[in-house]
Amino acid sequence: SAIPMIPIEPAKAVKKVQNTCGNILGPTDSWLLIRGIKTLSARMDVQCRSAETLANWLLTQPWVSQVFYPGLKDHPDHQIISAQASGFGAVISFKTDTVQRAIKIMKQVKIWSVAVSLGGVESILSYPTMMSHAAIPAAEKQMLGITDNLIRLSVGLEDCADLIDDLKNAAESDN
């Protein structure tokens, strides 16, 4: 029987990606991947546990109006992720009571790095409306719930109590 032909357009697209990006990892990237994968489970356990603690703590703060974390029982996707995964991840988003407080937190945190990144071993705080989603038109951001009082956290390996204290001090400072 004849070998089925791959449609030409998808093949051209794959060739372009391979030509642009390469089709294998370089030696250093491969070594880093092998090294990092060995501790991934242990790191994710710590990060997920801290994220859950942090999300529950945020729920108790008077300056927090909403918390988005699939590990919370009232999250709309809680049942789905519970059935499909062994943890809830290390990313949390929350809305502050005012835009001014969100900006104050961004400016005053000490432990959290302010950057657009997810999944590292360090804790990262980002301000989606001005960072990752800055190019989206305002009306579309509003429709998506990306408001000026939204903060996103990617919880790393630092002590959870230290991360909480840093957020609390930044949010409640008089400056």
Side-chain angles (χ1 to χ4, degrees), residues 44-173:
M44 285 306 300
D45 286 347
V46 170
Q47 289 175 273
C48 290
R49 193 168 43 250
S50 291
E52 187 171 353
T53 299
L54 193 54
N56 282 300
W57 173 79
L58 285 166
L59 287 173
T60 69
Q61 301 310 297
W63 44 268
V64 174
S65 63
Q66 204 169 3
V67 179
F68 307 95
Y69 181 65
L72 298 174
K73 301 247 188 279
D74 65 347
H75 188 280
D77 297 323
H78 181 78
Q79 290 304 105
I80 293 170
I81 196 168
S82 294
Q84 294 180 351
S86 60
F88 300 106
V91 177
I92 306 165
S93 294
F94 70 97
K95 291 185 178 184
T96 58
D97 55 350
T98 66
V99 173
Q100 292 77 16
R101 189 173 319 263
I103 293 168
K104 181 167 68 165
I105 291 169
M106 296 292 298
K107 289 182 176 179
Q108 296 194 14
V109 289
K110 305 280 189 262
I111 296 172
W112 297 85
S113 296
V114 177
V116 180
S117 181
L118 304 170
V121 296
E122 62 284 326
S123 292
I124 306 261
L125 183 146
S126 67
Y127 191 51
T129 193
M130 299 297 289
M131 295 168 86
S132 59
H133 295 74
I136 296 175
E140 192 174 340
K141 280 194 273 194
Q142 191 71 30
M143 184 183 70
L144 294 170
I146 302 167
T147 57
D148 291 344
N149 63 333
L150 178 71
I151 293 176
R152 180 164 297 132
L153 307 173
S154 178
V155 181
L157 292 176
E158 300 89 351
D159 183 79
C160 189
D162 292 342
L163 295 173
I164 287 172
D165 285 346
D166 193 27
L167 283 174
K168 182 176 178 60
N169 291 338
E172 296 177 1
S173 74

